[in-house]
Amino acid sequence: MMAGACAPRYPASDYALAEPAGPYRLASGDRLRIIVFGQDNLSNIYAVDGAGRIAMPLIGSVEAQGRTTVQLAQAVEAKLRGGYLREPKVSVEVDTYRPFFVLGEVTTSGQFPYVNGMTVQTAVAIAGGFTPRGLRSSAEVTRQIEGQTVTATVPITYPVQPGDTIVIKERWF
């Protein structure tokens, strides 16, 4: 968390522009459903470990960090094609997203499972709501963008992504 204190801070308007565009990128903590068609022994749910890899039977570890599900499926197919299967067909989907974190003036701080389409407001609701002193108009969100930790003050309607850390500040009035 100390690294977050050194993170660059941006106003909400700049932060919105800095949002990563494109498909979801995998990272540690994600759980993936990988289906190798016709190979029930290889089809399973795999966790992305702390090093950003998944470990599969036959082919060993495969880099998942920073890849999309389509890119990971192609990497698994390539490894399986290298001496194990003739024409592998692989499907990858996110089974469980990595958690997000809520700190500060909420009823229950902690780590929570991510739900698609979340905003800061719904994240606070999952954390039990605001305390009586909680600032209800904005929050601080810390996120990894292109390998850098970025922190910004954002409106309560700002979208949350897996792995975000949300801090609800104390209001003064």
Side-chain angles (χ1 to χ4, degrees), residues 16-166:
L17 297 175
E19 274 190 73
Y24 179 72
R25 300 283 173 174
L26 302 171
S28 297
D30 288 331
R31 292 176 51 86
L32 309 172
R33 181 183 324 272
I34 299 179
I35 298 170
V36 181
F37 296 103
Q39 300 296 319
D40 291 340
N41 296 350
L42 296 174
S43 299
N44 206 343
I45 294 177
Y46 298 92
V48 180
D49 66 17
R53 298 174 161 272
I54 59 165
M56 291 185 67
L58 296 179
I59 60 174
S61 68
V62 180
E63 185 69 33
Q65 180 81 29
R67 289 184 168 171
T68 65
T69 54
V70 171
Q71 291 169 334
L72 181 59
Q74 291 168 347
V76 170
E77 283 177 357
K79 279 199 159 193
L80 287 170
R81 200 175 290 113
Y84 299 104
L85 298 176
R86 188 172 293 174
E87 287 296 323
K89 297 292 182 205
V90 177
S91 157
V92 177
E93 64 183 42
V94 178
D95 183 62
T96 307
Y97 291 95
R98 59 190 175 275
F100 68 95
F101 306 87
V102 183
L103 306 169
E105 295 296 326
V106 293
T107 303
T108 309
S109 294
Q111 168 183 310
F112 301 94
Y114 177 79
V115 178
N116 273 326
M118 288 182 63
T119 63
V120 171
Q121 190 170 30
T122 54
V124 169
I126 290 170
F130 295 101
T131 65
R133 293 185 312 264
L135 180 62
R136 296 165 192 260
S137 60
S138 64
E140 233 176 48
V141 174
T142 301
R143 169 180 299 167
Q144 292 288 322
I145 297 177
E146 295 178 9
Q148 290 190 330
T149 302
V150 178
T151 300
T153 302
V154 299
I156 204 80
T157 57
Y158 194 78
V160 173
Q161 294 183 357
D164 282 357
T165 299
I166 302 163

